[in-house]
Amino acid sequence: DQQVKQNSPSLSVQEGRISILNCDYTNSMFDYFLWYKKYPAEGPTFLISISSIKDKNEDGRFTVFLNKSAKHLSLHIVPSQPGDSAVYFCAASAPNTGNQFYFGTGTSLTVIP
Amino acid sequence: GAGVSQSPSNKVTEKGKDVELRCDPISGHTALYWYRQSLGQGLEFLIYFQGNSAPDKSGLPSDRFSAERTGGSVSTLTIQRTQQEDSAVYLCASSLVGGGASETQYFGPGTRLLVL
């Protein structure tokens, strides 16, 4: 039962343009969301997070938007750079799930120089 | 300081054999997590350690899977009588304190397990 879904397995974007990665969730109890970035043969690295009390969090070129009513979050990268090419996972947790994070299946982003 | 390390990086085994996967968390991190990623799937939570105890084992897929942590540091994930569906990348992560969802988890590079 996939509670966090990333419906786009891949995305290609031209360098300098905006990359938008999407994530949908089903559990309305989720109150904390994260994005991780993963390069081949490496573990995921934390990128940015947002709690449900906010609808936007920005960190440099990365912005995460949360739409609680739609149970949707997105990661915007602008401007996109070739080094951003990686697999991006979104993850969510709820107060009653302790330390269990639910991850999406990932979106592979390719930024074309 | 070193990050989370895992060994072996790759493991090929025959169906029915037992395997042990090792995780060395970041020094001083109290919490340790095991996940696995099967082909085409998201990261699947397996187990969480707070110190040497495992308050949450809810993700272990069967009784063939077990994990332990000693000295509040190294953890081993053991899979007995491996099956082909156990083939996946097994990822370990650690965090400083644990007990809070907002704490960043730092991941190791993973162990790629292939069961023939």
Side-chain angles (χ1 to χ4, degrees), chain A residues 51-97:
Chain A
S51 82
S52 60
I53 62 173
K54 300 176 118 179
D55 54 19
K56 176 183 173 181
N57 189 25
E58 191 172 349
D59 183 3
R61 296 185 296 113
F62 302 90
T63 303
V64 56
F65 295 91
L66 175 63
N67 182 334
K68 291 185 286 294
S69 60
K71 296 194 184 68
H72 177 84
L73 70 156
S74 60
L75 174 69
H76 292 210
I77 307 173
V78 55
S80 301
Q81 299 173 354
D84 296 330
S85 298
V87 177
Y88 290 78
F89 291 94
C90 69
S93 70
N96 62 343
T97 63

Side-chain angles (χ1 to χ4, degrees), chain B residues 8-99:
Chain B
S9 54
N10 289 281
K11 177 72 178 177
V12 180
T13 190
E14 292 178 350
K15 179 181 169 181
K17 301 274 189 176
D18 298 351
V19 294
E20 269 193 8
L21 312 180
R22 176 187 169 109
C23 172
D24 282 88
I26 292 172
S27 178
H29 278 196
T30 305
L32 185 148
Y33 313 78
W34 283 98
Y35 296 87
R36 75 174 175 182
Q37 184 179 13
S38 304
L39 191 64
Q41 301 295 315
L43 285 164
E44 175 190 0
F45 170 82
L46 297 179
I47 188 170
Y48 154 63
F49 285 93
Q50 181 69 35
N52 291 335
S53 65
D56 190 350
K57 301 180 183 180
S58 61
L60 293 177
S62 77
D63 59 7
R64 297 186 295 105
F65 288 73
S66 62
E68 65 174 16
R69 190 179 185 195
T70 55
S73 181
V74 172
S75 176
T76 54
L77 176 69
T78 302
I79 310 173
Q80 296 177 308
R81 305 180 303 281
T82 53
Q83 303 294 312
Q84 288 179 333
E85 62 262 27
D86 299 334
S87 298
V89 176
Y90 289 81
L91 286 153
C92 174
S94 70
S95 66
L96 187 60
V97 175

